């Protein structure tokens, strides 16, 4: 069942042929929306943007995105020049808000075909990015060990292998001795860590954000679905070696093990013993770079993370 929040576009939304179990009418602070729906189960939320107080300020949308799963939200935009601008829409995309439209037809489509980043990437203006890329290619693609910026890519291979939290823990261990920062591409999970040094960005804005971090010693990148790994000094691939996660990965890409030969593979959330790990390496024909057991990220010193950082040479 669905929920609706409407104001200016009540008539349009009420005309949709949808099953709705809860509606709200009027103008609300973001906090009121969050408090109402944080623990409320629904399939989709149809949200009239004019029902959000001060919706022109994208900081309010950012707060909403931090507390509500925007994958389940369809945002109905108004027709004002400000919210119809390229800049405003790009900010929505940067917050992980991909499902937005200005009419009933768009809502009906998004209910059946929800957007991912790839569906809205064309909205971004890439001309500026291309100019920056030409100017910064040499600056960001540097070999390790030369005393300059190291760009460390972390990429999940099995679903939810833990790249985001791993980066957070490595940063926490390094922050007192190194100038570190982190970027994540095409997601907004970093928002939940409330750190100014952990920035969520998009494919088209990545190089621009990386340029801002040129004063850092180390920049970690949570690559997600980003494939241009040449910007990284080194890339580490995370696998959660449980049976279900391995089978899901292999069903999605049966040739993936072949592509991982001679790559840096880390077994994360790993409960295998040394014999099991040797068996894993034999069966997959992969060399495991490191293993990390389940850990408590709230601890100030996490020995497996310290060992990993040392092994990475950071």
């Amino acid at each position: 069942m669905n929920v609706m929040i409407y104001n200016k576009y009540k008539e349009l939304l009420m005309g949709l042929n949808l099953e709705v179990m809860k509606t709200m009418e009027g103008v609300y602070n973001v906090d009121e929306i969050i408090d109402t729906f944080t623990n409320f189960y629904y399939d989709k939320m149809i949200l009239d943007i004019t029902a959000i107080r001060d919706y022109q300020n994208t900081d309010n949308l950012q707060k909403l995105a931090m507390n509500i799963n925007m994958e389940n939200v369809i945002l109905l935009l108004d027709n004002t020049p400000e919210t119809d601008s390229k800049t405003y829409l790009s900010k929505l995309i940067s917050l992980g808000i991909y499902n937005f439209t200005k009419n009933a037809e768009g809502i009906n489509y998004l209910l059946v075909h929800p957007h991912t980043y790839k569906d809205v990437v064309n909205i971004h203006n890439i001309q500026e990015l291309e100019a920056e890329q030409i100017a910064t290619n040499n600056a960001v693609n540097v070999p390790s060990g030369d005393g300059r910026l190291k760009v460390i890519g972390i990429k999940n291979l099995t679903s939810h292998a833990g790249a985001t939290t791993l980066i957070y823990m490595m940063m926490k261990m390094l922050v007192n001795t190194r100038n570190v920062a982190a970027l994540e591409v095409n997601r907004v999970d970093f928002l939940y860590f409330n750190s100014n040094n952990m920035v969520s960005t998009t494919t088209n804005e990545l190089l621009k954000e990386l340029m801002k971090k040129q004063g850092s010693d180390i920049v970690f990148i949570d690559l997600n679905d980003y494939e241009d790994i040449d910007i990284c000094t080194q890339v580490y691939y995370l696998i959660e070696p449980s049976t279900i996660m391995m089978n899901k990965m292999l069903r999605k890409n049966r040739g993936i093990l072949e592509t991982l030969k001679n790559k840096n593979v880390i077994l994360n959330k790993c409960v295998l013993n040394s014999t099991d790990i040797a068996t894993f390496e034999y069966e997959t024909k992969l060399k495991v770079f490191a293993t990390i057991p389940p850990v408590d990220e709230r601890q100030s010193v996490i020995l497996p993370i310290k060992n990993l950082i040392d092994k990475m040479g950071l």
Side-chain angles (χ1 to χ4, degrees):
M1 295 286 282
N2 306 297
V3 298
M4 282 186 182
I5 308 174
Y6 45 68
N7 179 43
K8 180 179 176 180
Y9 296 106
K10 174 182 177 180
E11 185 176 344
L12 184 152
L13 294 183
M14 294 299 290
L16 296 172
N17 186 23
L18 296 178
E19 292 186 0
V20 178
M21 61 179 170
K22 183 177 178 62
T23 62
M24 293 173 60
E25 181 178 3
V27 179
Y28 300 91
N29 293 325
V30 168
D31 287 335
E32 294 177 283
I33 297 174
I34 293 169
D35 290 343
T36 302
F37 291 102
T38 295
N39 297 313
F40 193 99
Y41 178 78
Y42 54 88
D43 292 320
K44 294 292 183 182
M45 174 188 292
I46 317 300
L47 176 55
D48 174 355
I49 198 170
T50 69
I52 303 173
R53 182 168 282 111
D54 194 18
Y55 62 88
Q56 296 87 351
N57 182 353
T58 53
D59 287 346
N60 289 316
L61 277 300
Q62 177 176 330
K63 188 173 186 179
L64 187 68
M66 290 176 63
N67 293 276
I68 297 288
N69 184 359
M70 299 309 291
E71 292 181 0
N72 297 329
V73 176
I74 297 175
L75 192 62
L76 179 63
L77 302 177
D78 63 358
N79 290 309
T80 62
E82 183 177 20
T83 59
D84 196 36
S85 70
K86 201 88 163 182
T87 299
Y88 190 86
L89 297 180
S90 293
K91 288 180 179 178
L92 294 184
I93 295 168
S94 297
L95 295 173
I97 301 173
Y98 307 145
N99 294 297
F100 47 82
T101 183
K102 293 190 291 184
N103 52 54
E105 291 79 8
I107 293 173
N108 287 325
Y109 178 84
L110 292 171
L111 285 168
V112 181
H113 307 284
H115 280 165
T116 65
Y117 175 74
K118 292 180 180 179
D119 297 307
V120 295
V121 63
N122 62 304
I123 295 175
H124 281 232
N125 184 353
I126 64 173
Q127 293 180 352
E128 181 181 354
L129 175 74
E130 290 171 345
E132 290 171 347
Q133 183 172 2
I134 294 170
T136 62
N137 268 345
N138 293 333
V140 299
N141 188 19
V142 296
S144 62
D146 65 357
R148 293 198 289 164
L149 171 65
K150 292 182 175 66
V151 181
I152 307 300
I154 308 292
K155 189 175 184 66
N156 286 339
L157 292 182
T158 56
S159 299
H160 309 294
T164 304
T165 302
L166 177 60
I167 288 172
Y168 167 72
M169 292 188 291
M170 288 193 290
M171 287 190 62
K172 187 165 68 170
M173 296 287 289
L174 287 165
V175 70
N176 292 325
T177 58
R178 306 297 296 273
N179 187 345
V180 293
L183 304 170
E184 67 170 340
V185 191
N186 300 337
R187 292 187 68 89
V188 291
D189 293 329
F190 276 5
L191 292 173
Y192 301 107
F193 290 111
N194 298 316
S195 171
N196 292 331
N197 288 330
M198 301 181 72
V199 176
S200 302
T201 187
T202 63
T203 294
N204 286 333
E205 296 292 326
L206 177 59
L207 288 179
K208 181 178 178 180
E209 292 296 332
L210 194 53
M211 273 295 294
K212 297 177 183 178
K213 306 298 182 184
Q214 290 298 296
S216 303
D217 299 318
I218 302 165
V219 175
F220 294 103
I221 301 181
D222 188 345
L223 292 165
N224 292 307
D225 59 357
Y226 188 76
E227 299 295 340
D228 185 12
I229 62 173
D230 289 339
I231 67 168
C232 298
T233 307
Q234 190 60 267
V235 177
Y236 297 88
Y237 298 87
L238 295 193
I239 291 176
E240 181 185 339
S242 65
T243 300
I244 187 170
M245 290 302 180
M246 288 294 296
N247 286 344
K248 282 184 177 182
M249 179 184 73
L250 292 172
R251 179 166 292 188
K252 184 177 180 180
N253 183 355
R254 293 194 175 276
I256 192 168
L257 296 180
E258 184 66 27
T259 66
L260 289 174
K261 287 184 177 179
N262 302 316
K263 305 290 187 182
N264 293 312
V265 174
I266 296 175
L267 302 186
N268 198 28
K269 308 178 189 177
C270 179
V271 296
L272 303 181
N273 59 34
S274 57
T275 301
D276 294 331
I277 293 170
T279 301
F280 177 91
E281 290 183 319
Y282 175 78
E283 292 178 346
T284 61
K285 305 298 188 292
L286 300 178
K287 179 63 179 176
V288 175
F289 177 83
T291 61
I292 305 172
V295 297
D296 182 0
E297 74 272 11
R298 294 167 295 185
Q299 299 298 314
S300 57
V301 177
I302 308 170
L303 187 58
I305 304 303
K306 181 181 182 301
N307 293 339
L308 176 64
I309 289 170
D310 291 341
K311 192 167 186 178
M312 288 180 172
L314 303 179

